[in-house]
Amino acid sequence: MARAKKQREPLPPIWRVPDELWAIAEPIIAELDPPNRVGPKRVPARPILDAIIYRGRTGCQWNRLPQEYPDDSTVHRAFQRWKRLGVFERLWAVLIERCEDLDGVDWEWQAVDGAMGKARKGGAMWDRTRPTARRVA
């Protein structure tokens, strides 16, 4: 007999890391990316994660992050470091496991979103662009 699916209210979009998510993310970041023993003190990880979430949701350029977030180069360096160290993969795995504990994901309906980035130096040119109108000049 098929189990009836529970109807859930949609969650609001995440713009800042909620306390419940930070309780999961903080130990992962601390384990995989501990602070250096020497050198300047790092910017706290939570506002950096906020900025990464903001950029992921809006698709803005790194240098267009709002002033309320840490410096764009700081956020970008942390993003690249966390990507290299596997922070996002570990966080994703832990969140999927927690989701399964909460009766899983409704895999019958999913949505995908994407963002287009500008092509550096014009991108790859495969063919000449055909003119759309007669030149007047």
Side-chain angles (χ1 to χ4, degrees), residues 4-70:
K5 292 195 178 209
K6 300 177 197 173
Q7 291 294 339
R8 298 182 199 163
E9 286 294 316
L11 298 173
I14 296 175
W15 294 99
R16 300 244 182 237
V17 179
D19 293 335
E20 301 83 29
L21 177 57
W22 183 243
I24 297 168
E26 184 179 29
I28 294 171
I29 294 170
E31 176 191 342
L32 296 178
D33 189 26
N36 294 330
R37 301 178 104 190
V38 295
K41 189 173 180 175
R42 279 193 186 163
V43 173
R46 190 170 185 167
I48 290 174
L49 189 54
D50 285 340
I52 291 170
I53 288 172
Y54 179 86
R55 185 185 182 277
R57 290 192 60 80
T58 64
C60 74
Q61 295 178 354
W62 289 107
N63 61 353
R64 296 290 186 226
L65 287 171
Q67 292 289 324
E68 64 199 65
Y69 296 116

Side-chain angles (χ1 to χ4, degrees), residues 52-112:
I52 291 170
I53 288 172
Y54 179 86
R55 185 185 182 277
R57 290 192 60 80
T58 64
C60 74
Q61 295 178 354
W62 289 107
N63 61 353
R64 296 290 186 226
L65 287 171
Q67 292 289 324
E68 64 199 65
Y69 296 116
D71 180 62
D72 61 318
S73 59
T74 301
V75 174
H76 184 256
R77 272 193 311 269
F79 174 78
Q80 292 294 332
R81 193 172 59 246
W82 292 354
K83 181 178 166 193
R84 186 181 72 248
L85 295 171
V87 170
F88 299 114
E89 288 83 3
R90 173 86 66 83
L91 186 58
W92 182 253
V94 169
L95 292 175
I96 290 293
E97 186 177 302
R98 297 264 176 123
C99 188
E100 289 299 322
D101 292 344
L102 296 173
D103 201 20
V105 175
D106 182 5
W107 293 109
E108 291 181 24
W109 185 91
Q110 295 295 310
V112 176

